[in-house]
Amino acid sequence: MGASLLRLHFHDCFVQGCDASNLLDSTSTIDSEKNANPNNNSARGFEVIDQIKNEVDKICGCPVVSCADILAVAARDSVVAFGGPAWNVPLGRRDSPTASQTLADIDLPSPTMDLAELIKIFKNQGLDERDLVALSGGHTLGFSQCRFFAEDLQENCPRTGGDGNLSPLDPTPARFDTGYFSNLLEEKGLLESDQALLSGGSTDELVKT
């Protein structure tokens, strides 16, 4: 679940900032980001955030802590729980009253993107190539579905009904370490967008570092 909570926070922040908009369900006025291609049938952990929010509100006596702040803290604590570093999380985010499936489809990186596309989509968020490589390192945790594998690896997936089969994103999916980058050095990136970071382009040296 820790990998899923880290991913939820990333997917939240990439669409109009860290405002918990990706937690909202569809209504007559809300175009839920849960239905966007990068989230549909893959994003999870919503009920965990709901549970944390309920417990925090009980302790505080009223809803003073935003879901966006809870997402940010849960992502940090998930990394720590898997052996990664801690960092201070400034608080005070406000929850969005609306969401945008359209923007989620446009703004979130795709597992099939090449390096130029990744650099562009991160630049649109004010992030440089170092940020791109560092944040991609979050793929040291968790698993991916067969339908997102790099094309040459999809040959290992079942011919029918196997799109949801899972494989670890790096050899140690329950440990926050440098295994993801070591995997790229061995040309074993699970997703096209992972191996694109070490493909003879401008981010090669950052991956090695």
Side-chain angles (χ1 to χ4, degrees), residues 97-117:
T98 187
S100 175
Q101 178 182 337
T102 300
L103 285 178
D105 279 326
I106 294 172
D107 291 344
L108 288 169
S110 160
T112 62
M113 284 184 170
D114 61 24
L115 181 58
E117 292 171 315

Side-chain angles (χ1 to χ4, degrees), residues 96-167:
S96 173
T98 187
S100 175
Q101 178 182 337
T102 300
L103 285 178
D105 279 326
I106 294 172
D107 291 344
L108 288 169
S110 160
T112 62
M113 284 184 170
D114 61 24
L115 181 58
E117 292 171 315
L118 289 168
I119 290 174
K120 179 180 179 180
I121 207 165
F122 272 71
K123 185 178 180 180
N124 289 342
Q125 300 294 335
L127 301 169
D128 62 18
E129 293 180 15
R130 186 178 183 84
D131 299 320
L132 162 61
V133 173
L135 290 170
S136 296
H139 281 177
T140 186
L141 297 177
F143 296 77
S144 177
Q145 297 179 35
C146 228
R147 61 193 174 115
F148 297 128
F149 294 179
E151 188 173 351
D152 58 329
L153 296 177
Q154 287 184 0
E155 298 174 0
N156 300 323
C157 297
R159 292 193 177 276
T160 58
D163 283 353
N165 284 22
L166 299 176
S167 185

Side-chain angles (χ1 to χ4, degrees), residues 9 43 70 95-96 104 134 155 157 176 192:
H9 179 48
I70 289 173
D95 291 336
S96 173
E155 298 174 0
C157 297
F176 196 94
E192 289 181 30

Side-chain angles (χ1 to χ4, degrees), residues 11 13 56 61 95 104 123 131 135 175 178 183 185 201 208-209:
H11 279 216
C13 294
V56 169
D95 291 336
K123 185 178 180 180
D131 299 320
L135 290 170
R175 191 165 71 233
T178 57
N183 231 27
L185 292 174
K208 295 172 185 176
T209 300

